[in-house]
Amino acid sequence: MTKLKDHTDVDGIGTVASPGESADGSSRTFPEFPEFTKGQKTYTAAVAFIAWSLAVYDIVSFGNMLPAIQDEFGWSTTTASYVATLVSVGSLAVAFVVGPIVDFLGRRLALFVTTAGAALSSGLAGLAIGPISLVLYRSLSGFGQSEQAVNACYLNEVFHAKRRGFFMALVQAGWPVGVMISALMGLSFEGMIGWRGVFVIGSFPLVIILILRIWLKESPFFLKVQYVRKLRAAGDAAGAETAAQHYGLDMKNDRKNTYAALFTPALRKHTIAIGVVFFLKAVADSQLANLATTVLVKGKGINLNTALWTVFAANILAFIAFMVFGWLGDRIGRRETGIACQVLAAAPAAYLLFVADSVVAVMISYSLMLFFTQGTAAVLYAYVGESYPTRVRGTGVAYVAITGPIGFIVGPLMYAMLQSAGFNPAQAALSAVSACVLSALVLLAAKRIPPGQDLIGAAH
């Protein structure tokens, strides 16, 4: 069976010989790692979807409950923004360890680690007694935030190229589902059990997901890389090279520091570009999505219950956006779809901030903004996963899960500083609109992946 070339071979990193045949013509037999069956793919996708939805519940609940937390502790809006900033700093430090886990210990183990971290973050947050403990507990949400990155790596290696975008978007649609669960919990139970109870309850379903993940299989792509590394560690350099050729893997720049590998000459430009894209997108999302209730309550004068219903309704449309743009990305390219979505998100965002003055107008403009911003999310993680070789695919998607949190640090900080300088909430959030447009421009500098192009060593 002919093995497909690594995407990076196009850039001159490596070449792929015929299966099992080394450069000098000798042949060896290597173990084969079959792709997942249809049932295994379905089970993997279902577990990933539920786990991501619950992780999002934990992540977004912090933003949704921030006004209630702020009231209990007597914080000003500026203080609450600084607490959110410190939480993002802690999350960044936690997320940093996920990349090497994915690429050296395996996709499956990384999924266990991120799910367990999300459960701890949610449960402990309900026990917070002040800003320091809240920041420490919520820092563990870096694991939950990285779950999307791990899923992107894992699921990129599970689904076929021509339908990968749609099925990955279906799993990633756990984001609006998680947001809606969080909004419903806030509407239904916050008054009875308080914001602490909302967090504690969220930890229990994640424990169930930990159990379900026992039956997940390791990615055959990672098993191939692991086998090549074992040959190399045993001193069989020639065998390792031949195995890499057989599997269609680029292993020439493999190194223990997987983050450094992202900045080797052939990958550097692409790595910098997507890092900036995710940073800018996070700047926008931190103000218009994660702090949605704060922006709507403080900036538009809408009461908290109405704001939560607005978030809930808008995310129904966001779920549809994942399906639409996941499908579109399979046909015109995920990078191109992401560029269009970010530009189109800026217009309703600006209308929401400066024109909308009724509940109906706010709901419509907020829904359209979320439709396009979530459309971007539907394609970008799949795009990043397919743009890196297997040896650093996990670190590549974990890297953008790190640059994103940097944007989540800068976004609220910028929002607070602009308000402190005398700008009203809507004017301060204009920085989010600008970030949407800039991210689209920077994405033009990233690598283009033609629709339908398969992954490294794929045997489909």
Side-chain angles (χ1 to χ4, degrees):
M1 180 180 292
T2 302
K3 304 297 182 185
L4 296 176
K5 296 203 306 181
D6 183 337
H7 289 323
T8 53
D9 290 340
V10 178
D11 297 327
I13 292 183
T15 57
V16 180
S18 59
E21 182 178 316
S22 62
D24 61 5
S26 60
S27 62
R28 295 180 56 164
T29 301
F30 298 106
E32 294 299 331
F33 304 100
E35 65 176 285
F36 285 14
T37 65
K38 183 177 181 180
Q40 289 168 338
K41 291 179 181 179
T42 301
Y43 182 78
T44 301
V47 173
F49 172 79
I50 298 171
W52 178 231
S53 299
L54 295 174
V56 170
Y57 165 85
D58 169 62
I59 296 167
V60 178
S61 287
F62 180 63
N64 284 346
M65 293 296 104
L66 190 56
I69 297 172
Q70 177 182 343
D71 289 341
E72 178 175 324
F73 288 117
W75 297 337
S76 66
T77 300
T78 300
T79 299
S81 294
Y82 283 128
V83 169
T85 298
L86 291 175
V87 167
S88 294
V89 172
S91 300
L92 173 62
V94 170
F96 190 81
V97 306
V98 173
I101 291 176
V102 180
D103 282 328
F104 277 96
L105 299 181
R107 286 51 163 146
R108 183 174 176 272
L109 178 61
L111 289 171
F112 277 99
V113 171
T114 53
T115 302
L120 284 172
S121 175
S122 188
L124 291 174
L127 305 177
I129 59 175
I132 295 177
S133 59
L134 184 63
V135 168
L136 289 175
Y137 298 152
R138 292 305 303 165
S139 293
L140 293 174
S141 65
F143 283 118
Q145 291 169 5
S146 297
E147 187 164 326
Q148 185 178 26
V150 179
N151 281 340
C153 175
Y154 194 16
L155 299 177
N156 252 303
E157 298 174 351
V158 169
F159 295 124
H160 288 234
K162 292 183 179 180
R163 295 179 294 171
R164 182 185 303 126
F166 177 79
F167 286 111
M168 284 193 64
L170 182 62
V171 172
Q172 287 179 278
W175 177 272
V177 171
V179 172
M180 287 187 286
I181 294 173
S182 178
L184 281 177
M185 287 294 293
L187 286 165
S188 304
F189 300 109
E190 194 273 331
M192 293 184 292
I193 63 178
W195 63 267
R196 296 177 185 275
V198 171
F199 282 118
V200 172
I201 289 176
S203 65
F204 291 105
L206 286 165
V207 175
I208 297 175
I209 295 300
L210 281 173
I211 298 173
L212 292 176
R213 282 185 163 171
I214 293 174
W215 293 278
L216 292 177
K217 287 186 59 179
E218 182 55 88
S219 161
F221 287 80
F222 173 75
L223 293 175
K224 293 173 184 177
V225 169
Q226 187 180 52
Y227 179 76
V228 172
R229 286 172 175 160
K230 285 181 178 179
L231 289 178
R232 186 180 294 159
D236 188 2
E241 180 180 356
T242 303
Q245 293 174 335
H246 171 64
Y247 295 131
L249 300 175
D250 161 33
M251 299 293 291
K252 293 186 181 299
N253 288 309
D254 191 32
R255 58 185 70 184
K256 291 184 177 180
N257 187 337
T258 52
Y259 285 105
L262 297 181
F263 292 90
T264 52
L267 297 176
R268 185 182 301 131
K269 178 184 175 183
H270 176 68
T271 296
I272 293 173
I274 64 168
V276 173
V277 167
F278 274 79
F279 166 79
L280 291 171
K281 178 169 171 50
V283 168
D285 290 350
S286 65
Q287 297 178 28
L288 300 177
N290 276 26
L291 293 178
T293 52
T294 302
V295 171
L296 294 175
V297 172
K298 304 296 183 181
K300 306 305 294 186
I302 296 175
N303 65 57
L304 179 59
N305 273 358
T306 301
L308 288 173
W309 276 117
T310 300
V311 172
F312 177 80
N315 275 277
I316 295 176
L317 188 61
F319 184 90
I320 299 173
F322 272 88
M323 302 300 96
V324 171
F325 293 113
W327 174 86
L328 185 62
D330 281 335
R331 282 150 182 80
I332 69 171
R334 278 169 267 283
R335 186 192 69 155
E336 291 70 22
T337 302
I339 290 171
C341 284
Q342 284 298 91
V343 172
L344 291 172
Y351 182 86
L352 169 69
L353 293 172
F354 299 106
V355 180
D357 58 1
S358 67
V359 173
V360 173
V362 167
M363 289 188 67
I364 292 175
S365 55
Y366 181 77
S367 297
L368 286 174
M369 178 196 71
L370 207 61
F371 181 76
F372 292 114
T373 58
Q374 295 307 303
T376 307
V379 295
L380 279 189
Y381 270 96
Y383 165 71
V384 172
E386 68 185 1
S387 68
Y388 280 107
T390 301
R391 60 184 168 81
V392 290
R393 178 168 298 123
T395 303
V397 288
Y399 158 74
V400 298
I402 293 171
T403 56
I406 294 175
F408 281 110
I409 295 170
V410 174
L413 183 61
M414 182 184 302
Y415 185 72
M417 291 177 64
L418 288 171
Q419 287 194 86
S420 297
F423 293 95
N424 64 42
Q427 292 170 336
L430 180 61
S431 56
V433 179
S434 302
C436 282
V437 177
L438 286 174
S439 65
L441 295 176
V442 175
L443 192 51
L444 288 169
K447 183 188 303 182
R448 182 178 186 273
I449 305 296
Q453 183 168 326
D454 219 326
L455 298 176
I456 300 169
H460 303 320

